[in-house]
Amino acid sequence: MKISSTKRYETLRERMGNGDMDRRSFMSLLGYAGLAAGVAGGAMTAMSRQALASGTELYFEGWGGVVSEALRKHAFDPYSKKSGNTVVDSAFGGESEVLTKIKAAGSINGHNILHSSGVSWYQRWVDNGYGSKLNEANIPNMKNVMTSIIAPFRAITPDSLSAVPYDYGTTGIAYNTKHISKEEAEKLGADLLLKKDLKGKIGGWGGDWANRAWYGALQSGQDPNNIQDWDAVWEKAREHRALVAKYWESGAELMDLLAKEEIYVTEAWSGRVAALQAQGHPIGYLDPKNGLAWMESMFVLKGSPMDEAEELLNFMLAPETAIAVAAGQKYPSSLDPQKVEMPDEVKELPAYDPTGKLEGLVFRDPSTWNPVEKEQKKQWNRIKKGA
């Protein structure tokens, strides 16, 4: 039985409305259907033309705030203008949130590229079956990325990458210089977060058990990548909890709490502190000994439109784009400063490594942290609730 163009359009639209089809598939099928029909005029032909001209939508999820603003201004908008594709970006509360949504939905619809947090999460996405296979021939700007920052990802997936490293930074300690001197901060180090007379003015990142445990390790005198006494770690976490005014959940909330002086001290992401300092707030920053460094990647989920994703990643790694984003979000780029000349505003960012080797930073070792995640994450969740 022959189906009219209008009926075909209505059927496809109903399937999309019922959740049986995402918008990209809908537009593609609509376009192909219009070509196959070969008719002129009518709603189907008009929609087909729209479909063929609409480009591809790429769904991006990241950390929000100044980071998202920098990516939107310097990467996504220029890319969309150049390519005709659209980057639909949103902020997440953390990658655990995204992983839970995808598992519950049984599909990656609405999720394509994540501003993923380091090697541990790279391993986790791959282990859960969401690793894609990037064609690096389509990303020629990868040649300028630091070998040292790619190596940990290649160690996990030696045959192909699922992400490109994009930036790096540290999780140090931010403090209000009107209430805490530089000398006192440097003297106390990680123990500044446990100073009792600051009770009610101390913050903490509540969204990541591993960050809490890293600081517990430092405060209990242990190597965070070789923890021998987990009870001591969590006892320090309890001590911290008793002093905390609020656990923040996002970079935007971190900046707001510090800017409004609702808290005087907290662990904090280096780029967010740099952004506050640029705005004129009296915020100091300290990386304690063995403080946590991390690298972030642009992770492409399996099942995403790969050609368009690779095109976007190559655009983002172009020196003019990557440097502009680095200056905007206040995190150093993954580009090798031995290959690409960096401007002073990037060289002055916290954690910036002029050698491109990253040997002075301490990263989380996924081989020791990932195996204990299930057990220790439960422990942190109990303590956070008052246990």
Side-chain angles (χ1 to χ4, degrees):
M1 182 177 69
K2 185 177 180 180
I3 301 176
S4 70
S5 295
T6 300
K7 180 64 176 176
R8 189 187 302 274
Y9 166 65
E10 290 175 346
T11 300
L12 292 172
R13 186 173 180 177
E14 182 178 357
R15 287 180 60 191
M16 184 177 72
N18 290 337
D20 298 332
M21 180 188 302
D22 61 27
R23 184 179 181 279
R24 178 170 177 265
S25 300
F26 167 73
M27 297 301 280
S28 297
L29 289 173
L30 196 58
Y32 296 143
L35 283 179
V39 295
M44 191 68 175
T45 301
M47 289 300 295
S48 300
R49 288 173 177 162
Q50 180 185 346
L52 294 172
S54 65
T56 299
E57 286 186 336
L58 292 166
Y59 291 91
F60 174 89
E61 287 161 281
W63 298 98
V66 294
V67 173
S68 288
E69 290 170 10
L71 288 168
R72 169 56 60 193
K73 179 179 179 181
H74 300 294
F76 299 156
D77 284 347
Y79 167 75
S80 295
K81 185 177 181 181
K82 177 182 178 182
S83 68
N85 298 323
T86 302
V87 181
V88 182
D89 64 321
S90 60
F92 52 37
E95 290 174 78
S96 294
E97 170 189 301
V98 181
L99 180 58
T100 300
K101 285 181 180 177
I102 290 175
K103 283 186 172 180
S107 96
I108 67 157
N109 287 346
H111 312 272
N112 295 132
I113 304 174
L114 308 171
H115 197 170
S116 184
S117 184
V119 181
S120 294
W121 263 103
Y122 184 89
Q123 175 93 60
R124 195 165 295 122
W125 285 113
V126 169
D127 289 348
N128 277 277
Y130 295 109
S132 59
K133 293 184 177 180
L134 293 175
N135 181 355
E136 292 181 46
N138 292 335
I139 314 174
N141 285 322
M142 278 282 285
K143 68 179 185 297
N144 288 326
V145 176
M146 291 181 283
T147 301
S148 58
I149 204 171
I150 298 176
F153 298 95
R154 287 208 193 282
I156 296 171
T157 53
D159 296 331
S160 61
L161 293 173
S162 299
V164 298
Y166 200 65
D167 53 59
Y168 62 99
T170 57
T171 303
I173 298 175
Y175 58 95
N176 188 309
T177 57
K178 291 194 300 186
H179 302 278
I180 301 166
S181 69
K182 179 180 178 182
E183 291 74 21
E184 182 179 27
E186 291 179 345
K187 179 182 177 182
L188 291 176
D191 285 343
L192 180 59
L193 297 170
L194 301 177
K195 191 176 180 192
K196 289 183 172 52
D197 57 5
L198 290 175
K199 181 177 181 178
K201 288 295 182 180
I202 297 176
W205 183 16
D208 181 17
W209 73 272
N211 178 79
R212 197 73 277 126
W214 189 280
Y215 268 89
L218 294 180
Q219 291 157 345
S220 59
Q222 302 187 69
D223 176 355
N225 276 325
N226 186 27
I227 295 174
Q228 300 296 313
D229 186 348
W230 279 97
D231 289 341
V233 167
W234 295 125
E235 192 53 41
K236 290 296 181 182
R238 289 187 182 90
E239 188 177 337
H240 179 252
R241 185 198 64 208
L243 304 172
V244 162
K246 185 174 179 59
Y247 288 116
W248 46 269
E249 300 293 336
S250 69
E253 186 179 15
L254 160 67
M255 293 180 67
D256 189 58
L257 289 168
L258 285 169
K260 293 179 178 175
E261 301 192 8
E262 293 184 29
I263 58 175
Y264 295 160
V265 62
T266 177
E267 70 266 23
W269 302 324
S270 56
R272 300 296 176 139
V273 175
L276 285 167
Q277 292 170 337
Q279 294 168 10
H281 296 286
I283 305 298
Y285 184 69
L286 169 72
D287 273 321
K289 184 181 178 182
N290 287 328
L292 175 63
W294 38 263
M295 54 185 76
E296 291 182 320
S297 68
M298 297 297 166
F299 191 99
V300 181
L301 294 168
K302 182 180 180 181
S304 298
M306 296 304 293
D307 288 346
E308 292 82 357
E310 289 158 358
E311 182 185 35
L312 171 62
L313 296 181
N314 191 57
F315 184 89
M316 296 174 72
L317 287 174
E320 60 271 22
T321 306
I323 289 173
V325 171
Q329 70 169 354
K330 307 298 184 190
Y331 292 113
S333 160
S334 63
L335 299 186
D336 190 338
Q338 298 297 312
K339 297 178 180 178
V340 178
E341 178 65 25
M342 294 291 165
D344 289 344
E345 60 185 328
V346 173
K347 292 178 181 176
E348 294 168 358
L349 293 174
Y352 173 73
D353 179 4
T355 71
K357 296 180 180 178
L358 303 178
E359 292 175 342
L361 301 176
V362 181
F363 294 92
R364 188 176 293 151
D365 181 352
S367 69
T368 62
W369 282 86
N370 284 10
V372 301
E373 177 181 13
K374 187 174 182 179
E375 177 185 354
Q376 300 302 335
K377 184 178 181 179
K378 286 181 180 178
Q379 184 70 355
W380 161 238
N381 287 336
R382 285 194 290 267
I383 293 171
K384 187 177 178 181
K385 294 175 182 174

